[in-house]
Amino acid sequence: MKVINEQIEIDGIDKQILRALMNDARTPILSIARTIGISGAAVHQRLRKLEDAKLIVGSKFVINPKILGYKTMAFIGVYLDKAMRNPSAVKELQEIPEVMESHYTTGNWSLLIKILCKDNEHLMHILNHKIQAIKGVSRTETFISLNQQIDRQIKV
Amino acid sequence: MKVINEQIEIDGIDKQILRALMNDARTPILSIARTIGISGAAVHQRLRKLEDAKLIVGSKFVINPKILGYKTMAFIGVYLDKAMRNPSAVKELQEIPEVMESHYTTGNWSLLIKILCKDNEHLMHILNHKIQAIKGVSRTETFISLNQQIDRQIKV
DNA sequence: GGTGAAAGTTAACGGAG
DNA sequence: CTCCGTTAACTTTCACC
């Protein structure tokens, strides 16, 4: 692992370790070590370094929201009044649990957000009573995801 | 845990287990059990049921792409020719490692995709030489994410 | 960079209330 | 659903190369 500025370069062994854990965070370190052909302690050390370098942010269980009844995903372009303080709008968005992502973006919108709702009725409720209720939100454009084909992390 | 159609309803204990593991997939089952005040075997059984119900999809290490030099995220609205077979376009998108998400959406675009690039130059290259090169892609609209404030999973 | 061993935890299973 | 006990496997740290 080589540090260049605030970036790092990782070697093939780091990549093998990361690939295994990005695929299944509970893969035992020892089994990774055996696959690669080095000792568990070595894998452990490398992981510590990758964490120190902040490359590894954490680990998560991934759940399927559909099983809990969340079946409608949508992207919403949000127009904010110029005068408004955007940070307060973002703070209010953060209070809405259905909001999964929020980005400041270039282009027409101020924000692009991704939300997850149970159904279209739920989506409409969030739009009309939660998003539109936020001060500074003047208009929104909604794009419902009919089907997601790709969902992955960057390849290492 | 109650099964209703293909959906399930989970109780407070399931939620505590899921919250712990969604937050850190490597949390030992025994420590979760101690926190809740039940036995490790009980947590183990519940996890098996949640997996059987397909609520738990898997677990992942989350990495920070910026540390590897991927600093530009963008959303791209893709217009596909009506005549084109969309599946083949999606298949070609899948071959582009920079594409993190792809959705069929309602609205003007056929597809909305999320891509992750090293910088704007890299983004332009992907746009002009990879995305536009796909048969059926007539036009694209790009929104660069200047800043992401929210990134999370559904709350359980 | 890497190793191997030791100590302490944990996972996973079966049996039983 | 819970608890307990057992064994095998794993994590973590250490001195050392």
Side-chain angles (χ1 to χ4, degrees), chain A residues 25-26 55 57-62 64 96 99 101-104 106 114 144-147 149 152-153, chain B residues 25-26 55 57-62 64 96 99 101-104 106 114 144-147 149 152-153:
Chain A
R26 292 188 81 106
L55 175 57
V57 176
S59 64
K60 292 194 189 322
F61 256 54
V62 183
N64 180 359
I96 306 174
V99 175
E101 292 184 32
S102 167
H103 305 256
Y104 284 121
T106 62
K114 179 160 103 180
I144 298 175
S145 168
L146 301 170
N147 174 267
Q149 306 92 31
R152 60 189 175 200
Q153 284 192 80
Chain B
R26 292 189 81 107
L55 175 57
V57 175
S59 64
K60 293 196 190 321
F61 256 54
V62 183
N64 179 359
I96 305 174
V99 174
E101 293 185 31
S102 168
H103 306 256
Y104 284 121
T106 62
K114 179 160 103 180
I144 297 174
S145 169
L146 300 171
N147 174 266
Q149 307 93 29
R152 60 189 176 200
Q153 283 193 81

Side-chain angles (χ1 to χ4, degrees), chain B residues 1-135:
Chain B
M1 197 183 92
K2 231 168 46 183
V3 181
I4 305 153
N5 279 347
E6 298 198 324
Q7 293 177 28
I8 62 172
E9 241 174 45
I10 58 180
D11 66 13
I13 294 181
D14 289 324
K15 287 183 186 177
Q16 288 186 68
I17 297 170
L18 285 174
R19 279 193 209 117
L21 289 170
M22 288 169 73
N23 184 44
D24 178 0
R26 292 189 81 107
T27 314
I29 289 175
L30 283 177
S31 96
I32 299 173
R34 281 191 292 265
T35 306
I36 301 178
I38 60 176
S39 71
V43 175
H44 210 267
Q45 282 179 53
R46 281 170 177 268
L47 271 175
R48 236 182 41 77
K49 286 186 187 172
L50 292 171
E51 277 170 22
D52 291 346
K54 312 281 184 200
L55 175 57
I56 296 175
V57 175
S59 64
K60 293 196 190 321
F61 256 54
V62 183
I63 67 166
N64 179 359
K66 287 183 187 163
I67 305 291
L68 293 178
Y70 288 83
K71 300 192 170 175
T72 299
M73 183 182 287
F75 292 88
I76 303 176
V78 179
Y79 292 87
L80 290 177
D81 299 333
K82 276 211 189 73
M84 262 308 290
R85 285 303 320 122
N86 290 352
S88 77
V90 170
K91 217 169 124 192
E92 290 186 60
L93 280 174
Q94 202 135 15
E95 305 294 316
I96 305 174
E98 287 85 356
V99 174
M100 301 290 105
E101 293 185 31
S102 168
H103 306 256
Y104 284 121
T105 55
T106 62
N108 297 324
W109 309 313
S110 307
L111 292 171
L112 178 60
I113 66 180
K114 179 160 103 180
I115 84 175
L116 189 55
C117 300
K118 289 182 182 276
D119 48 36
N120 287 346
E121 195 179 348
H122 185 196
L123 169 59
M124 186 138 67
H125 182 263
I126 301 295
L127 267 172
N128 291 338
H129 295 87
K130 300 284 194 75
I131 313 261
Q132 300 277 11
I134 295 174
K135 275 183 297 295

Side-chain angles (χ1 to χ4, degrees), chain A residues 31-121:
Chain A
S31 96
I32 299 173
R34 281 190 293 265
T35 306
I36 301 178
I38 59 176
S39 71
V43 174
H44 204 265
Q45 283 183 66
R46 281 171 175 269
L47 272 175
R48 237 180 40 77
K49 287 188 185 171
L50 293 171
E51 278 170 20
D52 291 345
K54 312 283 183 199
L55 175 57
I56 295 175
V57 176
S59 64
K60 292 194 189 322
F61 256 54
V62 183
I63 68 166
N64 180 359
K66 287 184 187 165
I67 306 290
L68 294 177
Y70 288 83
K71 300 192 171 175
T72 300
M73 181 182 288
F75 292 88
I76 303 176
V78 179
Y79 293 86
L80 291 177
D81 299 334
K82 275 210 191 75
M84 263 307 290
R85 286 300 323 120
N86 289 352
S88 76
V90 170
K91 216 170 123 192
E92 290 186 60
L93 279 174
Q94 202 134 17
E95 305 294 316
I96 306 174
E98 287 86 354
V99 175
M100 301 291 105
E101 292 184 32
S102 167
H103 305 256
Y104 284 121
T105 56
T106 62
N108 297 325
W109 309 312
S110 307
L111 292 170
L112 178 60
I113 67 181
K114 179 160 103 180
I115 84 176
L116 190 54
C117 299
K118 288 182 182 278
D119 47 35
N120 286 345
E121 195 179 347

